Amino acid sequence: MNTKKRIFFNEVATRDGFQIEPDFIPTDDKVALVDALSECGYAKIEVTSFTSPKAIPMLRDAEEVMGRIRRMPGVEYTVLVPNLRGAERALESRADELNLVMSVSETHNLSNLRMPREKSFAALSDVIRHVDGRTPINISLSCCFGCPMEGEVPEEEVLRWSDRFAAFGADRVRGLTICDTTGMAHPAQVSRMVEVLQQRFEGLQLTLHFHNTRGMGLANVLAAVQGGITRFDGSLGGLGGCPYAPGASGNISSEDAAHMLDAMGYDTGMDIEKLLAVARQMPGIVGHEVPGQVAKAGRITDLHAPPPYVAELRTASA
């Protein structure tokens, strides 16, 4: 196990997390949160989504948020883009990266994006050609480890769609994010997948995106790290989820994953103390409890004073 290898974290709470919250998060709170996260050591922060305000009203302030955040050197501020219009808005906002999303499951793509996969691919291809290398593009493929409506998604389907985007060349598509959108992955499956991905897409920036729907999120992160993956999405407090995954508890918690790898000796580049301080603000921002554990329990190095009677027992037994 090479614990000296650098691990990079991407934060998605302000996009993936906030987009399904029932109440609109004030713009001031979004800007303040991104600014605080920028101090924590992230490689990327997915700030928002340039989708139609009618489709995702919770992110209707995308331009204002992107215009007001304080940009920290060394942090990339990425945004989700669904189509050409969204890409134009994102380019005007000076996004550092455009994240394009579709599903490798036909049923999930129809349910989530309201179009067949081929139509999604055509629309995203138009974006890639339009941007033409001016801004880095990342492709996120949903349901790579299983679909809640179709069941198992063959590895060949994941590779087929990955190949089609990789064919644009690294100057147009620099990265692939392989997503466990509804928390169906397990560690053995992850280990097999990351081995194949790294052999096939050596020239692309590979990121893994896990959800903790069935409690296997951190186990999957560890399997991927031990398999050589160095980039992960996470959501502060474990926010997020998918409407097609009953009982979904959201993405893996960024602070829980960073704490685990830090405790194991990996170089996460994260300031865990600052990260936990920000994570503890999340319930107040969203107005409800969040799934993250370490912000509640503290780090494993955060020790507690013993009960007063312990000293008496020590003395009595001496």
Side-chain angles (χ1 to χ4, degrees), residues 83-217:
N83 50 35
L84 271 176
R85 175 62 187 132
E88 290 167 354
R89 292 170 60 200
L91 292 171
E92 290 170 3
S93 78
R94 297 184 301 113
D96 294 321
E97 180 187 76
L98 309 186
N99 187 28
L100 314 185
V101 180
M102 66 168 283
S103 182
V104 296
S105 158
E106 182 75 358
T107 305
H108 184 266
N109 209 71
L110 289 166
S111 301
N112 192 42
L113 300 178
R114 308 297 177 94
M115 65 180 78
R117 290 175 298 176
E118 285 295 344
K119 189 171 181 180
S120 283
F121 180 78
L124 299 185
S125 297
D126 287 344
V127 172
I128 294 167
R129 285 188 284 265
H130 175 74
V131 174
D132 196 26
R134 288 177 289 164
T135 298
I137 285 177
N138 182 78
I139 303 296
S140 289
L141 295 176
S142 303
C143 289
C144 290
F145 296 92
C147 170
M149 292 160 282
E150 291 184 6
E152 182 180 353
V153 172
E155 185 180 278
E156 292 73 23
E157 276 298 277
V158 178
L159 297 176
R160 182 170 74 89
W161 289 101
S162 298
D163 280 337
R164 293 184 71 179
F165 283 109
F168 281 99
D171 57 331
R172 287 183 163 187
V173 172
R174 75 161 175 182
L176 285 173
T177 298
I178 304 300
C179 303
D180 178 30
T181 310
T182 60
M184 296 175 71
H186 59 77
Q189 183 186 22
V190 170
S191 296
R192 291 194 301 270
M193 180 77 80
V194 300
E195 181 179 3
V196 174
L197 289 169
Q198 289 175 104
Q199 291 172 353
R200 197 162 181 138
F201 303 109
E202 187 178 358
L204 293 180
Q205 190 180 93
L206 291 173
T207 302
L208 272 288
H209 176 110
F210 293 114
H211 284 239
N212 198 43
T213 309
R214 292 166 179 83
M216 291 188 280

Side-chain angles (χ1 to χ4, degrees), residues 13-67:
T14 53
R15 195 282 297 173
D16 198 348
F18 284 176
Q19 72 178 10
I20 66 168
E21 284 296 310
D23 299 318
F24 182 77
I25 308 298
T27 304
D28 288 349
D29 289 350
K30 290 173 181 166
V31 172
L33 180 58
V34 172
D35 287 349
L37 292 169
S38 295
E39 303 276 351
C40 293
Y42 283 101
K44 298 180 188 179
I45 299 174
E46 190 176 45
V47 178
T48 189
S49 174
F50 283 97
T51 51
S52 164
K54 292 181 179 178
I56 304 182
M58 299 306 170
L59 302 181
R60 60 182 180 267
D61 54 357
E63 275 91 354
E64 185 177 356
V65 172
M66 285 296 288

Side-chain angles (χ1 to χ4, degrees), residues 211-288:
H211 284 239
N212 198 43
T213 309
R214 292 166 179 83
M216 291 188 280
L218 292 191
N220 289 329
V221 169
L222 185 56
V225 168
Q226 292 175 337
I229 297 296
T230 60
R231 291 183 176 271
F232 295 90
D233 286 348
S235 181
L236 200 69
L239 288 184
C242 177
Y244 309 106
S249 57
N251 296 263
I252 59 163
S253 162
S254 299
E255 65 273 21
D256 290 0
H259 171 266
M260 176 185 75
L261 294 176
D262 183 76
M264 294 178 69
Y266 287 94
D267 176 11
T268 66
M270 302 292 289
D271 187 322
I272 305 296
E273 187 101 20
K274 283 185 178 179
L275 184 62
L276 289 174
V278 181
R280 290 180 178 121
Q281 300 173 23
M282 288 303 281
I285 293 172
V286 298
H288 59 78

